[in-house]
Amino acid sequence: MNKEILLRVENLTKIFTLGSMFSRVKISAVNNVSFNIKESEIFTLAGESGSGKTTVAKIILGFLEPTSGKIIYKGKNIIESQKEDKKSIRKEVQAVFQNPFETFNPLRMVHNYLVETAKNLGANSNYQEVIENALNLVGLTWNDVVNKYPSEFSGGQLQRISIARSLLTNPTLLVADEPVSMVDASLRMSIVNLFAKLKKEIGLSVLYITHDLATAYYVSDRIAIMFRGEIVEMGSVDKVLTDPKHPYTMLLKESIPEPDPKKKWTKDIKILTLEEEEYQMKGCKFISRCPYRMDKCKNPVPDVEVDGRIVKCCLYT
Ligand code: SF4
């Protein structure tokens, strides 16, 4: 059965201007990125630090304005939507942040957050039932959380509570930016499994942003690999991670497919300014590390369909 497209990212570009008035530099964090997320789908954006994946998430969540491009949610461009529309979209598209300990004030009992959110959304006398339902979906109960401070929970439990709070708004899409990186290695798979469970039980879609290919392989339906602000390969997770076609994805293949959260990218990549980038490479951004580089790789590289996935590489042109 064909699933409907829930969210479309079209030609998204974000250029940051950094520095003082006298020495400004422009950084291209995201460059012409396009992808879509379907209903009940876990879509992963994977890449090293500085690859632009978090910038994409922030734009989708409305925390950043793009330089150009569109975010189409259920047929409406979020960026150009009116205030009221934006408000209702924000309820349906919820964020799960990296560090659950930063989501909650250490001096405030966590159940207060859930009560406040439920009441703000219109639950009154039945607020406890509404909260209990959301907590049950993440494997917890009201009794597990009531009258406790954040420090009384593990990172994994607190991340579950944070997800339960997001579920109170009946979202269709969770944007989860590195949601397991601050969670104990032994508990990471339980959070990732929770996404799969929510997809199955309530039809939730998840944009999973990670540098951890092992959990991405385990949980995703489709994946896009980002390198220096661009998607270099995108397709079904099986195809992309077990039979990669882009030389960069090939380079990463050795760290997968076992679901071992310890295996991940650890090196940060150097972020080039726009001027350096334009000077060094108008063509493929991977050229300096690519064993297959050719003269034509110095020119703009097209997206090519190869064996059911999209690859940005001259090897296939
Ligand atoms: Fe390598 Fe050329 Fe493909 Fe870039 S475009 S990954 S340099 S073969």
Side-chain angles (χ1 to χ4, degrees):
M1 196 179 73
N2 275 345
K3 289 180 184 170
E4 293 282 319
I5 289 174
L6 187 65
L7 182 115
R8 254 189 2 251
V9 172
E10 284 184 5
N11 308 111
L12 198 68
T13 293
K14 178 69 187 177
I15 296 170
F16 290 106
T17 305
L18 307 175
S20 67
M21 231 171 83
F22 304 105
S23 61
R24 287 214 168 129
V25 286
K26 288 185 172 178
I27 307 273
S28 170
V30 174
N31 185 19
N32 206 24
V33 161
S34 298
F35 62 90
N36 62 56
I37 303 171
K38 295 175 188 151
E39 288 177 345
S40 297
E41 180 182 49
I42 300 181
F43 183 91
T44 292
L45 264 188
E48 297 161 284
S49 300
S51 62
K53 56 194 193 308
T54 293
T55 304
V56 173
K58 284 183 177 168
I59 295 171
I60 292 173
L61 290 165
F63 302 150
L64 276 178
E65 290 278 320
T67 306
S68 60
K70 294 178 183 169
I71 310 283
I72 315 277
Y73 174 75
K74 290 184 176 173
K76 273 189 188 159
N77 186 358
I78 299 184
I79 293 152
E80 287 170 359
S81 292
Q82 299 301 314
K83 211 172 161 189
E84 273 316 296
D85 279 341
K86 271 193 177 144
K87 226 168 135 185
S88 69
I89 292 168
R90 295 290 158 238
K91 273 189 200 161
E92 293 182 29
V93 180
Q94 287 282 314
V96 178
F97 297 105
Q98 185 174 11
N99 188 349
F101 288 99
E102 281 176 5
T103 311
F104 299 96
N105 179 336
L107 302 175
R108 195 169 180 224
M109 289 176 183
V110 293
H111 75 270
N112 287 326
Y113 287 89
L114 298 166
V115 172
E116 188 179 82
T117 307
K119 287 189 173 175
N120 281 343
L121 290 163
N124 287 310
S125 53
N126 66 334
Y127 73 85
Q128 202 169 317
E129 185 190 331
V130 170
I131 294 168
E132 183 79 52
N133 287 342
L135 285 169
N136 288 171
L137 282 168
V138 302
L140 293 168
T141 64
W142 173 255
N143 286 335
D144 289 332
V145 302
V146 73
N147 295 330
K148 287 184 183 161
Y149 290 96
S151 58
E152 294 178 71
F153 296 96
S154 69
Q157 283 171 322
L158 217 48
Q159 195 59 294
R160 280 171 185 272
I161 296 167
S162 160
I163 294 169
R165 188 182 176 203
S166 302
L167 295 178
L168 288 171
T169 68
N170 289 322
T172 55
L173 174 65
L174 288 188
V175 178
D177 188 4
E178 301 279 9
V180 295
S181 61
M182 303 297 285
V183 171
D184 276 357
S186 59
L187 294 171
R188 282 183 194 156
M189 288 313 290
S190 71
I191 299 290
V192 169
N193 278 330
L194 180 58
F195 293 142
K197 177 179 176 268
L198 293 171
K199 176 185 107 166
K200 197 170 160 211
E201 289 183 7
I202 58 170
L204 197 69
S205 300
V206 180
L207 173 58
Y208 178 43
I209 305 216
T210 188
H211 59 255
D212 181 354
L213 280 185
T215 55
Y217 180 76
Y218 185 76
V219 77
S220 318
D221 296 300
R222 289 186 302 136
I223 188 166
I225 305 290
M226 286 192 76
F227 181 76
R228 286 198 175 138
E230 294 181 342
I231 291 178
V232 294
E233 185 159 0
M234 173 165 62
S236 82
V237 74
D238 266 335
K239 284 194 172 183
V240 172
L241 294 189
T242 60
D243 180 26
K245 297 295 184 198
H246 192 282
Y248 177 60
T249 326
M250 290 177 196
L251 202 75
L252 303 171
K253 195 190 167 192
E254 61 201 49
S255 69
I256 52 172
E258 309 137 69
D260 177 356
K262 284 181 196 144
K263 294 189 173 180
K264 60 183 184 183
W265 294 304
T266 48
K267 284 186 202 145
D268 286 357
I269 54 176
K270 179 184 183 301
I271 299 172
L272 299 178
T273 68
L274 216 54
E275 287 73 19
E276 281 172 322
E277 236 172 48
E278 272 166 18
Y279 174 71
Q280 285 190 18
M281 42 183 143
K282 289 194 173 103
C284 176
K285 294 188 176 180
F286 191 58
I287 197 165
S288 61
R289 288 162 64 185
C290 182
Y292 307 104
R293 61 181 171 261
M294 304 163 260
D295 268 356
K296 63 178 175 179
C297 306
K298 291 176 190 160
N299 300 321
V301 185
D303 290 334
V304 193
E305 193 174 333
V306 187
D307 186 23
R309 94 287 302 269
I310 302 292
V311 188
K312 189 183 261 313
C313 180
C314 292
L315 279 177
Y316 309 96
T317 58

